[in-house]
Amino acid sequence: MKKIDKPSTNDSSLVSNKSSRRDFFRKAAVYSASAVAASSLLSPVKLLAEGKDDEFIMEEQPWATSLGYELNKNPYGVPSPYEHNVVRRTTPLLSSAGDMHAAVSLTPLQDLKGIITPNGLFFTRTHNGVARIDYNKHRLMIHGMVKKPIVLTMDEIKRYPSESVIHFLECPSNGAAEWKTPQFDSLQFVKGMMSCTEWTGVRLKTILEDVGVDPKALWMLAEGGDGSSMSRTVPVEKVMDDAMIVYAMNGEALREEQGYPVRLLLPGWEANLCVKWLKRLEFGDKPWYCKEETSKYTTLLPTGKAIQHFYPLEVNSIITSPCPEKPWTDLKKGDIVEIEGLAWSGKGTITHVDISFDGGKNWVEAKLKGLVLPKAWTRFSYIYKYEGKELMLESRATDDSGDTQPTVNQEKKIMGVEGVYHRNSINTWYVKANGEVHNAQMRS
Amino acid sequence: MLKCVHKTISVGVATLVLTSISAFAFDGKKDAVDGGMTYPRKDGVYTAYRYNDQKVPPISFGRKATPNELKAWNTDIMPDGTGLPKGKGTVGEGDELFEEQCAVCHGDFGAGGLGYPTLTGGDIASLTNQRTPGKTDAPKRTIGTYWPKASTLLWYIHDAMPYAHPKSLTWDETYAITAYLLATNEIQLDGKDMDDDTVLSNENFLKIKMPNEKGFIPNIDGPNGVKNVKAFLSDGKNIGAVGVRCMKDCKDDGAKLVVVKDPRTDVTPPFAEVKDLPKKKDNSVKPGQEEYEKSCAVCHGNDKMGAPDVGNKEAWAKVMKKGIDKVLATAIKGTGAMPPRGGSSYSDEKLKQIIEYMYSKSK
């Protein structure tokens, strides 16, 4: 047996004091490769010449010749350090004065698979920082036009029969930086103000059966327990349809950024309406006119009038592969490659996604894959033979309410370019002949 | 369960417009309040999900809220005056308070310019501005030109501002600041311009006339409010939901390819897609760091407000030239737009630690 004179673990951050000369060269090679890579945005594409042996096959690797690290070293597991670039990102453009308490962080859609967003990558928007709430001291009050105003502790909320549902949440300003012209060359910044999760909680209707809502109540105020007491008005009709209060995402407690210990979930509607750190629900017969449904989250039209109470995120889609972060620069003419993307609609269920290669003149239907659920991310796929030609690549989704994504021009004609919110027109990726992908739009 | 009815796309038809999509997945009906779909919950099945449909009486947890608890938490203010708390303040008092507590972020008179929301100025006519190519004038959305209700302002300022110390203003102070912001926006009270001595109180609050009250659609007030919203959202022409599923030779007049130019790169952390090991960084939290981030960074994290910004060597060298004791004394007392103790209640010792941390990050 070989004497083990290395650290008894191959925790990659600890792979270091190798002694042999061969190891030295091997290490030097690895380090210089990553030094080059670090200076570029994209992964280095390593093409191995035909007939040449791959050193990573020919030589034993440290992780195969040493003991791995103890299995519960991280009682709460963390991703491989090699994935450290897969993170949420922020920009001062989407903040006040670069201050990151009232700002937004965006999900790295370019690196996500399937339809579930890992909890640590869920996009976050706050108006007064992330509140840190003591689970034991949190209360939910339900009152107003009800027979029995009540107060619930968190443990009591969890006593109600629970349901789990998969829904996306999207900030209505997703893509808002792009109304006038493309500004970012990045999928993350073009569409990353959204995520999709399996939420667990209780249907609000279940609790309200006991509380007894006055049939004359038309509206419900939802108020958060954060510093800004973020609040919104919701029609009771939605509350009685599919509203929930949720305390878990993807099997664990809500993350603080997502409203720990409890938030409102209005499937398909503006994430801002899904009030985080939920502390109070009040029923009434008049709307409240909160700051976030007057000064903000209202859509100014070219007529000078603004739409207030604009709830659902309309049908939308985006190609996630290729994208500016994941280009086709490594492909050869004739390669068979999958075009993949996400489609979603807050008004219903995705029924079709079409793909265009010529900027929207002609379309072919893509296949849906995986779970196809209402108000949830839906994956689509199209297998394509790469030809090394310039493309204007687009996807266009349709939902069961009959809505199809508008073109940029169709949307602009009605909404103008100053509305900020609810942009869902067709996105274009400009694929250059060399496989680079850039953000673009087809517009007049 | 998923019924996709129109799977045939007839090739040969030049432009195929599918007007009525009949693929009502999961037996949904297009009758939701948002103009979208509702799906039946029946026999333990809801779309792709199963649920427990045992018949049970209403489930009851929690306890009745007490009258005092309701009073403590039910503090919202509605446009019709419901919830207006007792209190009063003058425009002049509001002016002073605003300068002390708000101008550092919102600018003198709330005129903006520091990166934080602009609260005054502009005119309603600007709301039709569209920054299409060649046009640079933005619509100005301020209290005077945009906000439909004054109750929103009183309620929001009391609950959410000042930003770093929300809920610290008394109601009298909140009335005063609200009066000031209305006055600087040239909004009238009871048909008259407001001056320094004008008193705003719960007695006359409903006499404020907001200039853009009628600027919003649809009408959400009254017994038909929800119905109006539903009708509005159900008509795609109102909300830009006018896409058509054309498959061949589709027209998009005047559309040409616009590729991103000089894309923004001011993102944190920087763009990177490589799979490598992170550079080792010192993740330990320094003494004073947490408190700095919580209480001081809002002003000291950037150079917009005239606070010596952390990371700025020159600014901090200038501050520390005075010696730590003097600087600490100033920080305790406050100076200019810097509130006493930065608005916190930290001990002298803690403040010193924070200042040393700030300095250490600016060498």
Side-chain angles (χ1 to χ4, degrees):
Chain A
M1 267 271 259
K2 224 172 19 173
K3 188 171 153 247
I4 297 181
D5 61 351
K6 1 188 153 170
S8 65
T9 154
N10 69 22
D11 176 346
S12 42
S13 61
L14 293 178
V15 178
S16 53
N17 53 343
K18 293 277 159 50
S19 46
S20 79
R21 198 169 158 270
R22 201 183 78 174
D23 277 348
F24 173 79
F25 283 116
R26 185 160 60 194
K27 244 177 52 185
V30 168
Y31 283 166
S32 61
S34 61
V36 173
S39 65
S40 75
L41 164 65
L42 303 166
S43 284
V45 181
K46 199 143 177 268
L47 289 176
L48 204 62
E50 266 318 312
K52 192 170 172 275
D53 293 332
D54 187 340
E55 59 174 312
F56 302 119
I57 294 174
M58 302 311 293
E59 294 177 24
E60 287 291 2
Q61 299 301 311
W63 48 86
T65 54
S66 63
L67 193 52
Y69 62 81
E70 276 186 6
L71 64 93
N72 208 29
K73 171 172 183 261
N74 302 308
Y76 192 101
V78 294
S80 161
Y82 285 92
E83 299 292 324
H84 72 101
N85 283 322
V86 181
V87 287
R88 295 181 289 220
R89 292 187 166 83
T90 60
T91 170
L93 179 69
L94 305 170
S95 76
S96 286
D99 174 76
M100 288 297 154
H101 296 87
V104 62
S105 72
L106 298 93
T107 292
L109 301 176
Q110 68 274 18
D111 292 296
L112 295 193
K113 304 295 169 199
I115 60 168
I116 297 293
T117 310
N119 290 342
L121 297 177
F122 204 98
F123 90 97
T124 303
R125 195 322 183 200
T126 62
H127 292 264
N128 198 272
V130 175
R132 171 153 297 173
I133 291 182
D134 182 338
Y135 176 94
N136 305 290
K137 296 180 183 167
H138 190 70
R139 304 287 182 270
L140 175 65
M141 185 182 282
I142 305 179
H143 70 110
M145 291 173 68
V146 299
K147 273 211 200 73
K148 183 174 89 172
I150 63 165
V151 173
L152 292 163
T153 64
M154 280 310 300
D155 285 342
E156 286 165 341
I157 291 172
K158 290 185 176 176
R159 281 279 176 222
Y160 286 92
S162 72
E163 282 187 36
S164 297
V165 284
I166 296 174
H167 290 302
F168 73 85
L169 277 194
E170 183 181 18
C171 174
S173 32
N174 200 11
E178 311 272 307
W179 275 107
K180 293 170 200 83
T181 195
Q183 289 207 60
F184 287 97
D185 205 14
S186 147
L187 168 57
Q188 184 164 10
F189 280 85
V190 168
K191 280 283 181 281
M193 279 187 227
M194 61 164 181
S195 299
C196 187
T197 287
E198 187 199 52
W199 306 97
T200 299
V202 48
R203 283 172 69 87
L204 211 33
K205 206 174 165 182
T206 306
I207 301 179
L208 296 177
E209 266 164 22
D210 177 46
V211 171
V213 178
D214 185 327
K216 287 202 279 302
L218 289 174
W219 303 99
M220 177 184 85
L221 175 77
E223 183 182 80
D226 64 320
S228 72
S229 301
M230 228 293 299
S231 44
R232 290 290 303 255
T233 303
V234 184
V236 170
E237 192 171 332
K238 175 71 171 178
V239 174
M240 296 306 184
D241 177 17
D242 58 359
M244 295 176 72
I245 54 176
V246 295
Y247 40 77
M249 54 196 295
N250 295 334
E252 64 176 1
L254 293 185
R255 291 293 169 92
E256 285 180 327
E257 298 99 312
Q258 267 58 251
Y260 180 88
V262 62
R263 84 181 294 173
L264 182 63
L265 178 71
L266 303 173
W269 285 18
E270 299 180 339
N272 179 266
L273 277 154
C274 302
V275 174
K276 303 195 267 197
W277 309 292
L278 186 68
K279 72 175 247 203
R280 189 162 77 91
L281 297 172
E282 179 177 357
F283 287 83
D285 57 3
K286 300 184 189 85
W288 267 263
Y289 286 85
C290 306
K291 183 261 215 176
E292 309 301 352
E293 55 204 24
T294 52
S295 167
K296 299 292 180 301
Y297 299 96
T298 46
T299 303
L300 184 58
L301 300 169
T303 56
K305 299 277 185 221
I307 302 176
Q308 56 186 344
H309 288 243
F310 193 163
Y311 313 122
L313 281 319
E314 301 152 84
V315 66
N316 213 334
S317 70
I318 188 81
I319 291 172
T320 58
S321 178
C323 67
E325 291 96 330
K326 303 280 182 206
W328 275 347
T329 41
D330 58 330
L331 292 189
K332 298 183 306 296
K333 234 170 129 163
D335 280 349
I336 302 293
V337 65
E338 180 180 30
I339 295 171
E340 212 193 341
L342 289 168
W344 65 99
S345 169
K347 286 169 78 170
T349 310
I350 294 298
T351 54
H352 304 84
V353 179
D354 306 308
I355 307 257
S356 172
F357 298 91
D358 58 5
K361 266 208 190 70
N362 297 287
W363 296 83
V364 291
E365 183 160 1
K367 304 284 179 188
L368 304 185
K369 60 176 189 177
L371 293 170
V372 179
L373 301 170
K375 305 170 188 181
W377 278 357
T378 301
R379 281 275 168 193
F380 63 86
S381 164
Y382 186 85
I383 309 293
Y384 174 69
K385 184 166 166 198
Y386 181 66
E387 291 168 347
K389 280 196 317 215
E390 201 179 75
L391 302 173
M392 291 171 262
L393 193 58
E394 299 183 341
S395 65
R396 180 188 66 190
T398 299
D399 70 18
D400 59 348
S401 83
D403 282 359
T404 294
Q405 273 181 268
T407 64
V408 171
N409 283 338
Q410 283 169 339
E411 183 173 46
K412 191 173 63 158
K413 202 161 158 200
I414 295 175
M415 309 304 286
V417 296
E418 301 288 356
V420 182
Y421 306 102
H422 290 265
R423 189 174 165 274
N424 73 320
S425 52
I426 294 165
N427 185 83
T428 308
W429 295 139
Y430 169 55
V431 184
K432 287 172 70 171
N434 66 3
E436 274 177 32
V437 179
H438 296 290
N439 184 23
Q441 289 177 10
M442 294 301 298
R443 64 187 301 150
S444 55
Chain B
M1 193 143 322
L2 185 75
K3 291 182 208 147
C4 281
V5 180
H6 57 293
K7 12 182 191 291
T8 45
I9 305 275
S10 39
V11 187
V13 182
T15 305
L16 191 104
V17 181
L18 296 167
T19 39
S20 69
I21 300 282
S22 44
F24 281 57
F26 306 126
D27 300 322
K29 271 219 277 290
K30 192 175 166 174
D31 64 352
V33 63
D34 60 7
M37 307 298 286
T38 59
Y39 299 101
R41 281 170 73 85
K42 231 176 89 200
D43 305 330
V45 176
Y46 174 64
T47 66
Y49 303 96
R50 297 296 183 94
Y51 67 94
N52 184 343
D53 65 339
Q54 271 172 272
K55 297 276 169 292
V56 289
I59 301 168
S60 180
F61 290 109
R63 58 171 183 81
K64 248 183 120 168
T66 70
N68 282 335
E69 286 170 345
L70 287 165
K71 227 170 96 189
W73 271 17
N74 186 9
T75 56
D76 55 76
I77 304 169
M78 300 179 83
D80 67 356
T82 306
L84 264 181
K86 261 185 90 148
K88 62 171 189 303
T90 66
V91 171
E93 288 157 9
D95 187 354
E96 270 173 45
L97 286 162
F98 191 86
E99 208 172 304
E100 271 165 35
Q101 302 203 36
C102 323
V104 60
C105 291
H106 293 292
D108 292 335
F109 318 110
L114 303 171
Y116 285 98
T118 301
L119 306 180
T120 54
D123 63 292
I124 290 190
S126 78
L127 296 182
T128 54
N129 288 354
Q130 292 281 319
R131 278 168 289 171
T132 45
K135 303 212 179 108
T136 52
D137 288 340
K140 299 270 172 7
R141 278 164 270 207
T142 64
I143 294 163
T145 65
Y146 199 62
W147 290 45
K149 304 287 180 190
S151 56
T152 310
L153 188 60
L154 188 75
W155 177 20
Y156 178 73
I157 291 175
H158 184 265
D159 272 15
M161 289 291 143
Y163 189 46
H165 308 282
K167 305 177 185 72
S168 60
L169 295 168
T170 66
W171 280 112
D172 283 350
E173 290 170 332
T174 313
Y175 274 106
I177 295 175
T178 303
Y180 171 73
L181 284 173
L182 295 170
T184 54
N185 275 290
E186 294 168 16
I187 290 168
Q188 293 193 322
L189 177 68
D190 205 5
K192 287 192 262 321
D193 289 343
M194 299 170 77
D195 60 33
D196 263 14
D197 299 326
T198 307
V199 180
L200 183 67
S201 73
N202 51 304
E203 305 278 327
N204 62 6
F205 195 82
L206 295 182
K207 304 218 163 109
I208 301 162
K209 186 100 189 82
M210 294 300 273
N212 195 41
E213 181 165 21
K214 296 266 172 288
F216 292 81
I217 50 171
N219 179 9
I220 58 174
D221 298 321
N224 289 326
V226 175
K227 282 199 196 105
N228 292 342
V229 174
K230 188 167 178 168
F232 184 87
L233 293 177
S234 298
D235 182 350
K237 289 192 294 301
N238 291 327
I239 56 170
V242 292
V244 281
R245 195 163 172 248
C246 156
M247 298 302 287
K248 231 173 152 294
D249 296 328
C250 311
K251 282 213 178 56
D252 188 0
D253 287 334
K256 54 182 194 307
L257 183 74
V258 178
V259 182
V260 63
K261 258 206 290 226
D262 307 322
R264 303 185 68 106
T265 53
D266 50 344
V267 309
T268 311
F271 288 121
E273 292 291 320
V274 275
K275 307 275 187 213
D276 62 358
L277 290 177
K279 289 197 194 69
K280 285 241 166 57
K281 49 175 193 266
D282 186 0
N283 282 329
S284 60
V285 178
K286 306 280 181 308
Q289 179 179 350
E290 236 170 88
E291 292 83 359
Y292 162 73
E293 280 162 9
K294 189 164 165 29
S295 310
C296 324
V298 292
C299 297
H300 285 274
N302 64 58
D303 63 0
K304 299 263 177 16
M305 285 167 230
D309 51 320
V310 168
N312 183 338
K313 262 197 219 170
E314 229 173 281
W316 275 91
K318 214 167 114 203
V319 169
M320 296 309 279
K321 232 176 40 209
K322 295 179 254 179
I324 179 71
D325 291 341
K326 261 221 170 108
V327 175
L328 178 62
T330 312
I332 290 168
K333 263 203 329 280
T335 171
M338 157 89 181
R341 293 180 198 271
S344 74
S345 50
Y346 297 130
S347 66
D348 296 0
E349 207 153 304
K350 183 47 92 186
L351 275 177
K352 188 168 167 207
Q353 201 182 57
I354 303 171
I355 294 168
E356 274 164 353
Y357 169 76
M358 292 161 82
Y359 183 43
S360 75
K361 299 297 278 182
S362 315
K363 280 190 197 167

